[in-house]
Amino acid sequence: MSQSPSDQTRQAGILGWIEHTGNRLPDPVFIFLWLILFVVAISVIAAMTGVSAVHPTQLMEDGSPLIISAASLLSADNIQRLLVEMPTTFTHFHPLGYVLVVMLGAGVAERSGLFGSVMSSAVKMAPAALLTPVVALLAMVGNLAADAAYVVLIPLAGVVFAAAGRHPIAGIAAGFAGVSGGFSANLMPGQLDALLFGITESAVETLDSNWIMNIAGNWYFIAVMTLLYLPVIWYITDRVIEPRLGKLVTNAESSTAGIIKTADDVLSHEEAQGMRRAGLAALVVIGIWVLLCVAPGTPLINESAPEEARMQPFYQSLVAGFFILFLACGWAYGTATGSVKSHRDVVRMMSEAMADLSYYLVLAFAAAHFVAMFNWSNLGLIFAINGAAVIQASNMPTPILISVIVLLTGMINLFIGSASSKWALLAPVMVPMLMLLGISPEMATAAYRVGDGATNIITPLMPYFPLILAFCQRWNKDFGLGSLAATMIPYSIWMLITGLVLAMIWIGLGLPLGPGAGTTYAL
């Protein structure tokens, strides 16, 4: 399925200008190559002028401060690193392995017809008016699965919308906004909470060694943030984004044509039997994962780790879990409907799934080298440290300071996508600074989380941004970088605004952020 050029009317307003201008840019692969050249030039200038920053946590072996200096990407060491480590840089690109593994299984579930039947049945049972909020809520809750949510929930959101006769890119946008824009929002604490509060605890120890880390220290706040983001995503998807996308036109040559069933299709006896077999296969896979968590030795539970980190192997196993789940369910469904007659059909379906990712692989090669070289230059690290130092020296009123922290985090997020990496750099300065101003470590962490998620969805430097573009191009081959940016900007702006307002109201009323976690702190 794709959208014909005649259906892509020129949109008016600022979003239309962003889309039109962005789509006139070169292919994203070459944009990354130009960005690499730009970073190389900046790194040379920064190295020559001695741009540097003092690392807030690390010291030299002799106890002196660790100075982070800008490194020229044209130095002999970095040129050698680029050429020698090129295969490693590409293959170690963070999302690449997750995407390839999950999509191998998802390709079988999709091409066997399972996804179409399941989504068609689900759409019939759910009111069409609630499709968007259901997708958005599942996306926000699904980010407990971290990376797996990007490669599972977001493309499935497009399939769900297509099955309901709605524009699939609107579903992808809603899923992307929920998984990535609402990355810090959820109905319950998860691995992100353990990760962030572990960093917060290290920062607190510089002032208060008796402070006890509470993984649920932001539970109430992130739960309310989830409920607040839900109507925002719902309204923007249905009233802003989907009307802009226009009518979807079926293209018989599309790799997804014939796979998606509409909500009006009736399941045949074979399809109904296939869904029963897929359900049994799903129960078996889920049972195996439960067994691996409770059986002697608990392979997926790290009993020797601190309590907040014991579930880490389980979370990390979800990518493999989704691969096996989709493979088993798709295979079981296909044996009943006749779409899978032998193991050769399974291999063919997996191969076709990889063919759909061919463009993403090329794009990932360029993106991987840009991200790696940007890190080698130390420019992102220096920018983050100096930005936090400016806030520390400002002596602003508390409400304004919280606002600046949220906005600064969102801005830094455009350059450094990892939530833990940014917090590891900012927390040693921000947390003690706010504690001295009477603001609790839990509130500092909550303010950081607001800014961290909202701009995830508009920066091409976010590792999964090229993948989302590839998902969209499966439905509309002319959907470019500008189209994706214009689509996600309304979500980013309103999620940042609503999250910022929530943080201000929360600290103004002094509401508890979680069990035993207040907004104020007394040294």
Side-chain angles (χ1 to χ4, degrees), residues 351-364:
S351 300
E352 291 174 354
M354 292 298 98
D356 288 338
L357 290 175
S358 57
Y359 173 76
Y360 173 70
L361 293 176
V362 177
L363 189 58

Side-chain angles (χ1 to χ4, degrees), residues 135-435:
V135 166
L137 181 60
L138 288 176
M140 285 187 281
V141 173
N143 65 36
L144 284 172
D147 302 278
Y150 285 95
V151 294
V152 175
L153 292 177
I154 295 175
L156 282 184
V159 174
V160 170
F161 269 56
R166 297 181 58 181
H167 204 297
I169 293 180
I172 291 173
F176 189 26
V179 171
S180 193
F183 187 68
S184 286
N186 217 305
L187 295 179
M188 59 187 297
Q191 57 178 328
L192 180 64
D193 296 80
L195 189 62
L196 294 182
F197 274 109
I199 297 171
T200 301
E201 183 178 30
S202 298
V204 171
E205 288 177 349
T206 60
L207 288 179
D208 185 358
S209 59
N210 296 320
W211 186 81
I212 300 175
M213 189 271 282
N214 176 12
I215 191 176
N218 280 169
W219 188 358
Y220 304 157
F221 182 82
I222 62 175
V224 172
M225 188 158 58
T226 302
L227 300 178
L228 183 65
Y229 282 168
L230 187 60
V232 171
I233 297 175
W234 187 358
Y235 180 85
I236 292 175
T237 301
D238 289 3
R239 298 300 179 89
V240 179
I241 300 306
E242 194 163 13
R244 293 187 69 254
L245 292 172
K247 181 182 178 182
L248 182 72
V249 178
T250 301
N251 176 6
E253 297 179 355
S254 171
S255 62
T256 52
I259 294 171
I260 304 305
K261 303 172 72 68
T262 68
D264 296 328
D265 289 332
V266 178
L267 295 181
S268 66
H269 172 72
E270 291 77 11
E271 290 170 333
Q273 184 181 21
M275 289 186 63
R276 286 192 292 270
R277 290 188 184 181
L280 291 175
L283 289 177
V284 170
V285 174
I286 292 172
I288 291 174
W289 246 250
V290 172
L291 187 64
L292 292 175
C293 292
V294 300
T298 57
L300 295 183
I301 305 295
N302 188 353
E303 299 287 355
S304 62
E307 184 175 353
E308 64 274 6
R310 289 181 181 177
M311 294 293 291
Q312 194 68 21
F314 170 78
Y315 291 131
Q316 293 174 336
S317 75
L318 289 178
V319 171
F322 279 119
F323 160 67
I324 297 173
L325 179 68
F326 287 147
L327 177 62
C329 292
W331 199 333
Y333 177 89
T335 57
T337 61
S339 58
V340 176
K341 296 181 176 63
S342 72
H343 68 279
R344 300 184 189 280
D345 291 322
V346 174
V347 175
R348 173 182 54 80
M349 293 174 181
M350 297 171 79
S351 300
E352 291 174 354
M354 292 298 98
D356 288 338
L357 290 175
S358 57
Y359 173 76
Y360 173 70
L361 293 176
V362 177
L363 189 58
F365 179 81
H369 282 85
F370 170 74
V371 172
M373 294 176 71
F374 189 71
N375 291 334
W376 298 344
S377 71
N378 292 330
L379 293 176
L381 185 63
I382 293 171
F383 175 79
I385 294 174
N386 288 337
V390 170
I391 287 185
Q392 186 182 33
S394 63
N395 295 320
M396 292 179 285
T398 300
I400 297 178
L401 183 58
I402 292 294
S403 301
V404 170
I405 288 174
V406 170
L407 296 175
L408 177 66
T409 301
M411 183 173 63
I412 293 176
N413 193 45
L414 296 173
F415 303 95
I416 304 176
S418 171
S420 57
S421 296
K422 287 192 304 294
W423 192 226
L425 294 171
L426 298 177
V429 174
M430 287 187 177
V431 172
M433 174 187 66
L434 293 178
M435 290 171 66

Side-chain angles (χ1 to χ4, degrees), residues 3-24:
Q3 206 169 23
S4 64
S6 61
D7 293 312
Q8 296 172 338
T9 55
R10 174 74 178 274
Q11 301 291 333
I14 183 63
L15 293 181
W17 178 84
I18 291 172
E19 178 175 3
H20 179 70
T21 303
N23 287 342
R24 294 179 62 185

